[in-house]
């Protein structure tokens, strides 16, 4: 049985042998128990074991894996899909946004740990949006990466971008830059 809350994953394992003459000692070795305990403790979890002649129960509690939200603003749906594929099976979750007019409302809703933005956007100059992101109380402390085909790294950094990526972008470069600049949200644990 597995339970998940916002902070921990609880795994409960119970074993009652089918044969009344067999005990849990015949099915689980002390080395297996020791190894399980050490792995759980290395991951910052806890290990509780109940032993009775015909009952063997373990409760494993692990810290929940934090997912780091990345808000990407790009009018090109294919680019957003590519970035989504890049972040599959990582600790990051991409929230793609094609309409830059929605960025402040969405940023307030999802509290991204990092912003990624193109410069060529519909309805607003990307440089102006970068300035607004740097000035707005809800987004000014969020690292912002400008990701564009334009060769304007110096301008992006001068206008307040945390970093610059020139398209086309490789998966390795993309994730490496996120690793360098993301500020994970702090979570309080009991």
């Amino acid at each position: 049985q597995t339970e998940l809350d916002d902070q921990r994953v609880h795994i409960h394992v119970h074993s009652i042998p089918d044969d009344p003459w067999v005990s849990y000692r015949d099915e689980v070795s002390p080395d297996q128990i020791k190894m399980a305990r050490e792995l759980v403790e290395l991951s910052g979890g806890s290990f509780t074991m109940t032993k009775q002649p015909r009952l063997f129960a373990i409760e494993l509690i692990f810290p929940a894996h934090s997912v780091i939200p990345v808000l990407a603003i790009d009018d090109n749906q294919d680019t957003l899909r590519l970035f989504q594929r890049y972040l599959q099976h990582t600790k990051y979750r991409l929230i793609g946004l094609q309409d830059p007019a929605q960025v402040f409302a969405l940023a307030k809703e999802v509290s991204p740990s990092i912003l990624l933005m193109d410069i060529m956007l519909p309805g607003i100059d990307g440089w102006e949006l970068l300035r607004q992101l740097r000035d707005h109380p809800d987004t000014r402390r969020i690292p912002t990466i400008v990701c564009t085909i334009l060769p304007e790294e110096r301008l992006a950094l001068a206008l307040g971008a945390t970093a610059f990526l020139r398209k086309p972008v490789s998966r390795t470069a993309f994730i490496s830059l996120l690793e360098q600049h993301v500020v994970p949200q702090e979570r309080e644990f009991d």
Side-chain angles (χ1 to χ4, degrees):
Q1 173 187 0
T2 302
E3 300 169 19
L4 176 64
D5 63 34
D6 287 345
Q7 300 168 350
R8 295 178 191 88
V9 177
H10 301 260
I11 302 173
H12 306 276
V13 179
H14 303 282
S15 176
I16 300 174
D18 293 333
D19 184 339
W21 302 105
V22 174
S23 77
Y24 76 87
R25 289 178 186 89
D26 299 324
E27 297 179 358
V28 181
S29 76
D31 287 339
Q32 290 171 320
I33 293 170
K34 181 182 177 194
M35 183 172 50
R37 181 183 306 273
E38 288 176 4
L39 287 171
V40 170
E41 289 172 358
L42 279 172
S43 70
S46 67
F47 179 101
T48 308
M49 184 170 64
T50 304
K51 299 186 285 187
Q52 297 173 1
R54 290 204 11 86
L55 171 67
F56 175 75
I58 294 178
E59 180 183 39
L60 310 170
I61 301 175
F62 296 94
H65 175 70
S66 295
V67 176
I68 300 172
V70 176
L71 178 55
I73 309 146
D74 198 308
D75 64 323
N76 187 321
Q77 185 63 36
D78 291 334
T79 299
L80 293 173
R81 276 195 290 266
L82 176 66
F83 291 161
Q84 186 78 47
R85 279 196 308 273
Y86 282 176
L87 297 182
Q88 283 181 337
H89 310 296
T90 70
K91 62 185 174 183
Y92 299 102
R93 177 176 58 99
L94 187 91
I95 300 109
L97 180 63
Q98 287 184 276
D99 181 1
Q102 298 175 12
V103 70
F104 295 102
L106 191 56
K108 188 173 184 96
E109 179 184 328
V110 301
S111 299
S113 294
I114 199 158
L115 295 167
L116 179 74
M117 64 173 288
D118 193 4
I119 291 301
M120 296 186 297
L121 296 167
I124 188 169
D125 177 63
W127 303 116
E128 174 59 22
L129 181 60
L130 176 60
R131 186 197 60 74
Q132 290 177 15
L133 289 167
R134 302 296 7 119
D135 290 344
H136 197 280
D138 292 336
T139 56
R140 72 171 144 233
R141 289 184 183 87
I142 303 171
T144 302
I145 298 173
V146 168
C147 183
T148 183
I149 198 164
L150 301 174
E152 297 289 353
E153 180 173 4
R154 292 174 114 184
L155 180 58
L157 297 175
L159 293 176
T162 308
F164 181 86
L165 268 176
R166 178 109 184 256
K167 292 178 183 176
V169 178
S170 72
R171 181 178 193 268
T172 303
F174 185 64
I175 292 174
S176 174
L177 203 60
L178 291 179
E179 290 291 325
Q180 291 172 35
H181 296 285
V182 75
V183 178
Q185 297 171 329
E186 292 188 19
R187 299 173 69 175
E188 292 184 21
F189 293 92
D190 297 332

